[in-house]
Amino acid sequence: MESFYKAEFTVTTAPTGSPIVIDLLKNGVSVYLGANRPTIDIGTTSTINSSVSTSFTGEIFNIAQGDVLSVNITQVGSTVKGTALKCFLTYDANPMY
């Protein structure tokens, strides 16, 4: 089982007009708490300094063999669409809990 504690997203082309909104799902259910989802703000190429704060449904989320992770893009930018989305998951290979 892997314990993920950070998910970051980047694009090659920054969106304009509206931000990119992304959701990360485990077995079809969002791993994020509440309605806030990661965004890539207008004119930027990463969620790292996003204006929207997100948090997982717990401090971390775990995956086990057989779990399916998927990424949903719910908004792409309205004038110029962001392109070449990449997802980076950071995990702890040796959890102490």
Side-chain angles (χ1 to χ4, degrees), residues 11 13 15 18-22 38-41 73 75-77 82-83 85:
V11 290
T13 303
S18 62
I20 296 171
V21 180
I22 306 152
T39 63
I40 298 177
D41 294 334
I73 304 167
Q75 185 171 290
V76 295
T83 62
L85 179 73

Side-chain angles (χ1 to χ4, degrees), residues 3-60:
S3 299
F4 290 91
Y5 60 92
K6 186 175 8 174
E8 296 173 344
F9 300 87
T10 65
V11 290
T12 302
T13 303
T16 63
S18 62
I20 296 171
V21 180
I22 306 152
D23 198 0
L24 178 61
L25 309 173
K26 180 178 92 170
N27 300 325
V29 178
S30 180
V31 300
Y32 295 102
L33 181 63
N36 286 346
R37 300 294 181 259
T39 63
I40 298 177
D41 294 334
I42 296 168
T44 67
T45 58
S46 173
T47 57
I48 293 170
N49 294 316
S50 174
S51 62
V52 176
S53 176
T54 60
S55 59
F56 295 136
T57 52
E59 187 175 316
I60 59 170

Side-chain angles (χ1 to χ4, degrees), residues 77-97:
S78 59
T79 305
V80 173
K81 297 175 183 177
T83 62
L85 179 73
K86 296 171 194 72
C87 175
F88 300 90
L89 297 174
T90 304
Y91 68 95
D92 186 350
N94 299 304
M96 299 299 293
Y97 40 88

